[in-house]
């Protein structure tokens, strides 16, 4: 049934960077005032974005085009006076669309990426609130040579979103590029791409990409079953450097540097496959199987869950395992990626200060608000969550004699809590109960409590041993090390942060510019690394600029910590079974 609310966006003047919005709400009204709220954050990105900052030129009219009185309330509200016998209220405004990320509106002469929580005011009161669960009409007007891709059913600029969540989840991408489509297991898959600089992507690269995506999709279906929803849209944005991904019910927006589709950048291409797999997996894990706290999403205030390690760490782990199982990645690619992850893991020691549950809960003020010292006291529930999944998978496979792994646990939870008619969401207890009821999982409840609720690092070497994977340090001989992270800004090398145990931490500060070391001008980060490498046990004189004042600092050159990050064999039967295709 129609909600009687139409959400229209006019993108026919894209170079203005403004979307012109008209939301019409038809009678009946249930009060003398209608309160509208503008979303403050976007599901999947835990930060108060306040997209209302991009809205201006608000006008409110009735069915006779008479202006109605309104005023702004709170940080996110609009209060509209409803006259007697009013048949319709139309709210019009402009939205500036210049933030180029996967979670925001972006429009220029070449495309529109429409993110609903950055676009629509939503009625909160003044109408029967049940209407928000009915079918909303969404209209989008675009330049003649553009075509629109969206997960919302409909065509030719007119779409029908079934309820509030579908409306808020239904991203739209419009640009002149042709939408590509192909069928996998009876499900239509579509791809709509856009390049931020107008670069033309070679057809054969796109075909190769579709071939690999198909392998990944088939592997997901083999694990979770063929989806009852029969349509999926992948929106790809290619940029110079920006990257990111965001999941939706039947679509994703993934952003990668364009070189990922150019010859000679295989690592970047593999990261694109990994990103796609991660966002694709979210269809099951977070968009349907959800934390209890997210049902329904309250986009007006921060909503906390202790389970982001499950929904992000687990998705990262399984997304990449599926790349490997499907053959889109080979074992060598997995090892290379694993090495990078372990290097990141060993470069910090936040796991002694923050548990995975705490990191999840505080995502709003920690992961999404990093500082140069974050590595010392905070962890990423993506990275550390993934490592815990790897370890838990090894334990479960070992204890069940290879019968099942954590992917099977995720599937079980999805079937019980994530399927249609049974979307009640999960909490920690649900995961624990399901895990301990699985064969081999009986004693893993306490293991899990320790791994995600306590401040201890995961025992990666035990998990590697269970899988028969040998691991050793990268460096063949001892080398020197400053433990410094730097960035290059306008040709200057600036201190950005310190690795765990860095000898430079007490002497230097973030934002110090490193001018010279032991008399040699420093113009590249690799000069610093090379100097430290060959002067183990010595001391180096740093000439820096701190807040514009030249200073001299002495920094010891310590031995670089040797951490096991390199996999040197191909594992035992248990591992082979874990990475075997399920098709
Ligand atoms: Zn994710």
């Amino acid at each position: 049934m129609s909600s009687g609310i139409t959400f229209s966006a006019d993108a026919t003047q894209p170079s203005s960077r403004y979307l012109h919005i008209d939301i019409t709400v038809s009678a009946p009204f249930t009060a003398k005032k209608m309160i509208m709220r503008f979303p403050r954050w976007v599901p999947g990105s835990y930060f108060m974005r306040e997209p209302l900052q991009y809205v201006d030129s608000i006008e409110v009219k009735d069915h006779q085009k008479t202006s109605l009185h309104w005023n702004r309330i709170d940080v996110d509200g609009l209060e509209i006076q409803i006259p007697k016998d009013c048949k319709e209220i139309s709210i019009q405004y402009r939205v500036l669309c210049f933030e180029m990320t996967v979670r925001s509106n972006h429009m220029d002469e070449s495309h529109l990426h429409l993110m609903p929580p950055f676009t629509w005011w939503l009625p909160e009161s003044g109408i029967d609130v049940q209407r928000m669960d009915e079918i909303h009409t969404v209209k989008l007007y675009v330049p003649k040579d553009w075509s629109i891709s969206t997960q919302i059913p409909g065509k030719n600029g007119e779409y029908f979103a079934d309820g509030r969540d579908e409306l808020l989840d239904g991203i739209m991408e419009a640009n002149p590029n042709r939408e590509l489509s192909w069928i996998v297991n009876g499900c239509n898959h579509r791809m709509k791409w856009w390049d931020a600089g107008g670069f033309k992507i070679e057809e054969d690269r796109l075909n190769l990409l579709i071939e690999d995506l198909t392998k990944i999709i088939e592997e997901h279906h083999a694990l979770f079953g063929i989806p009852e929803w029969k349509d999926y849209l992948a929106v790809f944005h290619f940029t110079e450097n920006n990257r990111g991904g965001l999941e939706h019910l039947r679509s994703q927006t993934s952003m990668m540097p364009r070189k990922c589709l150019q010859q000679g950048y295989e690592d970047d291409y593999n990261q694109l496959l990994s990103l796609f797999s991660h966002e694709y997996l979210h269809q099951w894990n977070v968009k349907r199987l959800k934390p209890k706290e997210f049902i329904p999403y309250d986009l007006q205030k921060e909503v906390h869950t202790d389970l982001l390690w499950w929904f992000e760490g687990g998705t990262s782990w399984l997304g990449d395992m599926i790349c490997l199982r499907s053959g889109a990645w080979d074992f060598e690619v997995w090892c290379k990626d694993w090495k990078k992850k372990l290097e990141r893991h060993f470069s910090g020691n936040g796991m002694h200060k923050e548990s995975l549950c705490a990191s999840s809960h505080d995502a709003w003020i920690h992961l999404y608000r990093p500082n140069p010292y974050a590595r010392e006291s905070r962890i990423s529930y993506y990275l550390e969550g993934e490592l815990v999944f790897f370890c838990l998978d090894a334990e479960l496979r070992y204890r069940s004699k290879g019968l099942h792994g954590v992917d099977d646990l995720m599937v079980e939870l999805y079937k019980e809590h994530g399927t249609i008619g049974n979307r009640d969401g999960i909490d920690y207890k649900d995961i624990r109960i399901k895990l301990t009821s699985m064969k081999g999982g009986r004693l893993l409840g306490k293991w899990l409590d320790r791994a995600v609720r306590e401040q201890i690092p995961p025992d990666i070497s035990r998990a590697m041993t269970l899988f028969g994977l040998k691991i050793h340090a990268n460096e063949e001989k001892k080398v020197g090390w400053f433990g410094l992270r730097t960035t290059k800004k306008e040709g200057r090398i600036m201190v950005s942060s310190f690795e765990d145990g860095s000898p430079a931490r007490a002497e230097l500060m973030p934002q110090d510019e490193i001018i010279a070391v032991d008399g040699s001008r420093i113009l590249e980060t690799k000069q610093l690394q090379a100097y430290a490498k060959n002067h183990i046990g010595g001391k180096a004189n740093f000439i820096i600029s701190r807040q514009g004042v030249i200073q001299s600092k002495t920094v010891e050159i310590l031995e670089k910590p040797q951490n096991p990050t390199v996999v040197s064999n191909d594992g035992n039967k248990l591992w082979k079974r874990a990475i075997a295709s399920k098709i």
Side-chain angles (χ1 to χ4, degrees):
M1 192 176 159
S2 168
S3 67
I5 309 173
T6 300
F7 296 85
S8 307
D10 184 335
T12 52
Q13 293 169 300
S15 53
S16 73
R17 320 295 305 268
Y18 284 107
L19 266 180
H20 291 264
I21 307 297
D22 185 345
I23 300 172
T24 57
V25 183
S26 61
F29 300 103
T30 56
K32 289 180 181 163
K33 288 177 186 169
M34 180 161 73
I35 309 273
M36 311 280 285
R37 296 280 173 194
F38 209 90
R40 301 182 63 197
W41 61 280
V42 175
S45 181
Y46 307 104
F47 190 86
M48 296 308 266
R49 304 271 165 206
E50 308 295 5
L52 184 53
Q53 65 185 293
Y54 298 123
V55 169
D56 68 26
S57 309
I58 300 170
E59 280 189 69
V60 185
K61 293 176 180 165
D62 69 6
H63 59 285
Q64 291 169 318
K65 310 280 180 232
T66 308
S67 290
L68 300 184
H69 183 74
W70 59 269
N71 55 299
R72 285 267 292 107
I73 53 167
D74 311 323
V75 69
D76 56 357
L78 187 67
E79 185 183 71
I80 299 165
Q81 307 291 334
I82 308 174
K84 230 177 148 191
D85 302 325
C86 180
K87 293 197 175 92
E88 185 180 272
I89 292 176
S90 161
I91 302 111
Q92 297 168 1
Y93 50 97
R94 303 191 306 178
V95 183
L96 179 65
C97 309
F98 82 98
E99 251 191 64
M100 195 178 70
T101 73
V102 295
R103 48 159 173 72
S104 48
N105 280 339
H106 185 259
M107 181 169 69
D108 63 17
E109 59 190 8
S110 65
H111 95 133
L112 164 70
H113 182 253
L114 187 150
M115 169 57 63
F118 268 64
T119 310
W120 311 123
W121 286 95
L122 300 175
E124 180 190 69
S125 65
I127 59 166
D128 177 358
V129 287
Q130 300 296 327
R131 286 170 63 183
M132 291 311 292
D133 298 331
E134 293 169 357
I135 295 172
H136 308 295
T137 304
V138 180
K139 291 182 179 174
L140 178 60
Y141 304 95
V142 296
K144 274 197 195 75
D145 58 334
W146 290 13
S147 60
I148 302 166
S149 296
T150 177
Q151 67 177 20
I152 312 176
K155 59 181 178 183
N156 301 332
E158 191 169 53
Y159 305 88
F160 303 95
D162 193 354
R164 174 184 174 275
D165 280 3
E166 286 268 347
L167 173 76
L168 287 171
D169 190 58
I171 53 147
M172 301 174 121
E173 170 70 26
N175 67 47
N177 294 330
R178 190 167 57 91
E179 181 183 274
L180 305 172
S181 71
W182 72 107
I183 306 281
V184 185
N185 292 326
C187 301
N188 193 31
H189 285 74
R190 299 179 285 141
M191 183 206 290
K192 180 84 163 172
W193 65 275
W194 169 75
D195 184 283
F199 191 81
K200 286 279 167 263
I201 295 168
E202 292 164 29
E203 194 90 351
D204 61 336
R205 298 303 289 177
L206 288 172
N207 290 337
L208 174 71
L209 176 61
I210 287 178
E211 230 173 83
D212 282 327
L213 297 186
T214 303
K215 289 179 195 164
I216 292 169
I217 292 164
E218 284 171 342
E219 201 62 49
H220 278 89
H221 291 186
L223 181 63
F224 287 97
I226 296 169
E228 65 243 37
W229 55 101
K230 298 293 174 198
D231 181 65
Y232 188 83
L233 168 69
V235 173
F236 289 120
H237 288 171
F238 299 112
T239 63
E240 185 175 17
N241 295 311
N242 296 13
R243 58 180 71 210
L246 196 65
E247 68 278 6
H248 302 284
L249 276 162
R250 297 178 301 282
S251 62
Q252 66 175 274
T253 302
S254 287
M255 182 182 276
M256 276 292 289
R258 69 174 63 84
K259 65 184 177 190
C260 70
L261 285 182
Q262 293 169 3
Q263 304 279 3
Y265 293 94
E266 274 64 34
D267 287 356
D268 298 272
Y269 179 69
N270 288 322
Q271 286 312 306
L272 172 65
L273 298 181
S274 166
L275 179 60
F276 171 83
S277 185
H278 178 106
E279 305 306 343
Y280 195 79
L281 178 49
H282 271 318
Q283 288 178 96
W284 293 276
N285 196 35
V286 96
K287 294 312 286 189
R288 288 177 176 83
L289 177 67
K290 287 180 172 187
K292 273 198 164 73
E293 296 84 353
F294 286 1
I295 301 176
Y297 286 116
D298 181 348
L299 301 185
Q300 307 316 127
K301 64 174 201 295
E302 294 92 337
V303 181
H304 299 273
T305 166
D306 287 357
L307 294 183
L308 293 177
W309 59 270
W310 172 276
F311 289 102
E312 291 301 346
T315 302
S316 291
W317 167 76
L318 185 53
D320 285 355
M321 287 296 277
I322 283 177
C323 285
L324 182 56
R325 284 177 187 171
S326 71
W329 274 17
D330 60 25
F331 183 58
E332 210 177 304
V333 171
W334 182 86
C335 290
K336 214 170 169 181
D337 182 72
W338 192 238
K339 177 172 173 282
K340 276 191 199 149
K341 285 170 180 158
L342 292 180
E343 280 169 355
R344 270 179 61 212
H345 165 73
F346 286 119
S347 75
N349 65 354
M351 65 285 291
H352 293 289
K353 301 280 180 202
E354 186 171 59
S355 71
L356 277 167
C357 285
S359 164
S360 302
H361 183 90
D362 286 335
W364 299 86
I365 50 170
H366 282 182
L367 194 76
Y368 281 84
R369 291 177 195 259
N371 70 51
Y373 297 98
R375 202 177 282 123
E376 299 172 0
S377 58
R378 304 174 183 178
I379 55 172
S380 156
Y381 48 79
Y382 281 86
L383 174 66
E384 301 302 326
E386 176 169 0
L387 298 180
V388 162
F389 258 78
F390 176 81
C391 296
L392 181 60
D393 188 56
E395 293 293 340
L396 187 57
R397 284 179 195 277
Y398 174 69
R399 295 174 195 216
S400 69
K401 299 191 168 53
L403 185 67
H404 45 221
V406 193
D407 49 343
D408 300 299
L409 169 64
M410 195 184 281
V411 172
E412 288 296 311
L413 283 166
Y414 166 71
K415 283 184 182 159
E416 203 167 311
H417 301 276
T419 46
I420 286 180
N422 203 12
R423 289 190 189 146
D424 52 349
I426 55 166
D427 57 20
Y428 180 72
K429 215 168 58 245
D430 295 313
I431 297 172
R432 200 181 188 281
I433 289 171
K434 186 57 77 185
L435 171 66
T436 50
S437 69
M438 290 173 87
K439 187 163 184 284
R442 198 169 61 84
L443 300 175
L444 284 175
K446 283 210 172 92
W447 187 102
L448 189 67
D449 294 343
R450 209 171 127 72
V452 303
R453 291 182 151 173
E454 291 183 24
Q455 298 155 353
I456 46 163
D459 190 350
I460 298 159
S461 58
R462 175 177 156 84
M464 300 295 284
T465 306
L466 291 178
F467 279 138
L469 291 164
K470 289 199 180 119
I471 191 158
H472 62 81
N474 191 28
E475 308 286 350
E476 279 165 13
K477 57 182 177 75
K478 290 178 180 176
V479 294
W481 169 79
F482 290 128
L484 263 180
R485 296 276 174 109
T486 58
T487 51
K488 197 170 181 179
K489 213 156 104 189
E490 292 163 2
R492 300 183 300 171
I493 301 297
M494 314 292 288
V495 175
S496 56
S497 64
F498 307 95
E499 293 180 7
D500 184 25
S502 164
R505 188 188 182 285
E507 299 298 327
L508 305 182
M509 295 215 299
Q511 296 308 311
D512 281 350
E513 178 193 351
I514 300 172
I515 298 169
V517 172
D518 281 348
S520 290
R521 183 82 171 94
I522 297 296
L523 295 166
E524 298 291 342
T525 301
K526 60 184 178 206
Q527 284 177 274
L528 275 177
Q529 290 161 348
Y531 191 82
K533 204 170 178 176
N534 298 316
H535 292 81
I536 184 168
K539 285 184 177 167
N541 175 252
F542 275 63
I543 302 297
I544 60 163
S545 168
R546 177 169 297 168
Q547 295 289 313
V549 178
I550 305 300
Q551 296 190 9
S552 166
K553 299 281 177 188
T554 304
V555 176
E556 271 186 84
I557 305 174
L558 296 186
E559 181 189 332
K560 187 176 181 183
Q562 298 280 314
N563 294 308
T565 56
V566 181
V567 180
S568 59
N569 68 335
D570 57 1
N572 59 20
K573 267 192 198 158
L574 206 61
W575 173 249
K576 299 267 166 61
R577 206 155 160 182
I579 63 169
S581 170
K582 288 191 179 272
I583 295 170

